[in-house]
Amino acid sequence: MTTEIEIKRGLQGVYIDKTQSSFIDGSAGKLLYRGYSIHDLAEKSTFEETVYLLLYEKLPNQKELNDFDALLRANRSIPPEVMQIIKLVKNAHPMDVLRTAVSALAAYDPDVADNSLEATLRKGIRMTAQAPIIVTAHARIKDGKEPLDPNPNLNQAANFLYMLFGKEPTPAEARIMEKDFILHAEHGINASAFAARVAASTISDLHSAIVSGIGTLKGPAHGGAAEEVMQMALDIGEEDNAEQYTRDILERGGRIMGFGHRVYKVEDPRAQHLQVECQTLGEQKGQPKWFRILSKVAEVMEPYASRGICPNVDFWAGSMYHLMGIPKEIFISIFAMGRIPGWTVQVMEQYSDNILLRPLLVYEGPMDVEYVPIDQRK
Ligand code: ACO
């Protein structure tokens, strides 16, 4: 009987629903958010405008953008109890802290049990504004410093850097961060969005869905790759070591982090923007070596392009964060902060036309085994 069943392991190539939030053509390296090219959004939009586009299904006019920006700024706070929890779990990985703190936010959110689209939107906006507070507070607490109050004069990206470092970023640094948030804001039914949708499909709430998303994003096969790419660059140390290091990994049958993607079989269209920033920032900071090391790794990987293994969004991101002085432990949290709008949109789409997400497994274990009482077992 089992031979007649076609198993789609890893749900590869399986469409589970329709979406209007993002379009991905993995063989052409094309990504659109609500029809708009990721390249236009990365170069011309702001994070606030892109989030508005994702959440409200259209680009805002100036007043709508101003109001939305003000709403995000007004939501930049977390309850003192959640700050206490962050202090209690400060020694955990930043993604574990983010997951725990977002889960705790549910206890204080006035809309927690309201799964209407309006309430879900309000919660998504709140969590988008709150996540950077959590990440920066934890980073400072871990370093023995006090968390900072947000700076109401700064946008989301600049305020994140301000709250992390305690000084206002340069406009160029703030713009790099903003571009990174835009590039990470949404990406269809990737593993973490799928996890969020599975939670939502049981008619669970947005906080639960986003906790599922954060937990799923954490793995090195998904969002954790940026941290591992930077570790690889640090281990390589010098450009001259890069080729041998890369070949050694490949000969052992290992994987080069930041390469390969389930959907993109050509270069991830997000990667090129971060590549440029990594190179420019490296030159500005007098540290071109990280770009050179990664370029050498990419060169060794070139033959793999014919097998569809190309740089993904995480390949250049890590060294770009490193050059900005961001500790590598929070690289994935940056991804998660940027992705909260995308998870929110995916959950809203799931609620709008819900069906329980519940696939099947082919059972291959023993059948009808006799139950032996414990005193008679060997
Ligand atoms: N380095 C070397 N070989 C690779 C790599 C890589 N980074 N990625 C895939 N391959 C090879 C595999 O070894 C496998 O080879 P085989 O057919 O000879 O066994 C083949 O390509 C297919 O790999 P799968 O794991 O089956 O492909 P899948 O689509 O399931 O994997 C994944 C995608 C998990 C991203 C994979 O490419 C990988 O592990 N990459 C490294 C981690 C990474 O960068 N993750 C971030 C992804 S982007 C994101 O989530 C934001």
Side-chain angles (χ1 to χ4, degrees):
M1 180 205 167
T2 55
T3 51
E4 291 162 20
I5 298 171
E6 189 191 356
I7 298 176
K8 301 267 190 185
R9 286 200 74 226
L11 297 175
Q12 286 200 65
V14 175
Y15 289 84
I16 64 149
D17 219 321
K18 297 175 182 171
T19 184
Q20 296 192 351
S21 68
S22 56
F23 169 81
I24 306 167
D25 182 340
S27 53
K30 183 169 182 170
L31 171 61
L32 310 176
Y33 292 171
R34 298 211 182 274
Y36 292 91
S37 162
I38 192 63
H39 302 306
D40 282 343
L41 294 171
E43 296 304 331
K44 300 173 192 165
S45 182
T46 62
F47 179 67
E48 287 76 5
E49 184 182 56
T50 297
V51 174
Y52 187 100
L53 169 69
L54 288 168
L55 296 180
Y56 296 95
E57 306 177 25
K58 71 175 194 78
L59 284 174
N61 62 31
Q62 193 61 55
K63 178 174 184 318
E64 288 164 336
L65 181 58
N66 293 347
D67 290 349
F68 182 65
D69 189 9
L71 184 60
L72 276 175
R73 290 178 203 222
N75 276 295
R76 280 182 193 155
S77 69
I78 58 173
E81 293 86 348
V82 177
M83 194 63 90
Q84 265 319 108
I85 291 171
I86 295 171
K87 288 180 179 163
L88 287 172
V89 298
K90 68 177 184 191
N91 291 327
H93 188 280
M95 277 295 271
D96 295 341
V97 174
L98 180 63
R99 193 192 58 224
T100 302
V102 168
S103 186
L105 282 176
Y108 304 93
D109 195 299
D111 290 316
V112 67
D114 185 347
N115 288 344
S116 66
L117 292 180
E118 297 74 21
T120 303
L121 186 62
R122 284 198 295 275
K123 287 185 279 188
I125 293 167
R126 270 201 282 282
M127 278 189 265
T128 300
Q130 288 168 321
I133 312 290
I134 295 168
V135 173
T136 55
H138 172 236
R140 293 182 68 85
I141 289 165
K142 204 173 175 182
D143 279 355
K145 297 180 194 147
E146 276 302 309
L148 293 173
D149 289 333
N151 182 334
N153 300 321
L154 300 176
N155 68 15
Q156 180 97 349
N159 183 60
F160 164 67
L161 291 171
Y162 164 74
M163 291 188 76
L164 187 63
F165 295 125
K167 70 177 175 61
E168 282 191 31
T170 64
E173 281 175 337
R175 181 61 197 150
I176 292 172
M177 200 69 253
E178 171 157 75
K179 198 182 274 192
D180 183 84
F181 284 162
I182 292 169
L183 293 168
H184 283 95
E186 155 65 7
H187 209 237
I189 194 76
N190 53 77
S192 56
F194 181 62
R197 272 193 181 244
V198 170
S201 81
T202 70
I203 322 186
S204 188
D205 55 90
L206 185 67
H207 284 82
S208 301
I210 289 190
V211 166
S212 307
I214 294 170
T216 308
L217 181 69
K218 186 186 169 195
H222 194 1
E227 183 177 336
E228 303 222 3
V229 175
M230 191 60 222
Q231 190 56 53
M232 174 176 73
L234 290 166
D235 291 346
I236 290 173
E238 296 301 331
E239 189 186 348
D240 286 349
N241 304 333
E243 180 171 352
Q244 196 55 49
Y245 183 99
T246 311
R247 292 199 192 286
D248 286 349
I249 291 181
L250 295 170
E251 272 161 29
R252 287 200 307 270
R255 291 179 181 218
I256 301 302
M257 292 292 124
F259 266 78
H261 197 277
R262 175 60 68 79
V263 180
Y264 293 119
K265 297 305 164 197
V266 295
E267 189 184 27
D268 182 331
R270 301 166 295 179
Q272 56 186 260
H273 294 277
L274 302 183
Q275 178 179 7
V276 171
E277 299 301 350
C278 176
Q279 180 171 24
T280 313
L281 203 56
E283 281 161 11
Q284 280 168 6
K285 301 256 175 193
Q287 293 184 55
K289 85 168 179 179
W290 306 115
F291 179 78
R292 289 187 189 150
I293 287 173
L294 293 183
S295 298
K296 199 76 199 167
V297 173
E299 198 181 301
V300 178
M301 289 299 288
E302 266 167 25
Y304 283 70
S306 61
R307 292 172 52 196
I309 302 168
C310 303
N312 62 48
V313 68
D314 280 337
F315 188 65
W316 304 101
S319 55
M320 193 184 76
Y321 302 146
H322 179 78
L323 285 162
M324 293 172 84
I326 298 173
K328 70 176 166 29
E329 296 72 26
I330 68 167
F331 290 179
I332 326 171
S333 314
I334 295 176
F335 190 155
M337 288 184 308
R339 183 53 60 82
I340 288 178
W343 288 329
T344 302
V345 167
Q346 293 290 328
V347 167
M348 288 170 73
E349 284 194 346
Q350 187 66 37
Y351 286 155
S352 296
D353 188 16
N354 192 40
I355 179 168
L356 180 70
L357 290 172
R358 204 293 188 197
L360 294 167
L361 292 170
V362 173
Y363 177 70
E364 287 191 331
M367 300 285 282
D368 304 324
V369 183
E370 186 190 351
Y371 180 84
V372 179
I374 194 162
D375 57 353
Q376 293 170 30
R377 288 177 216 157
K378 290 187 187 141

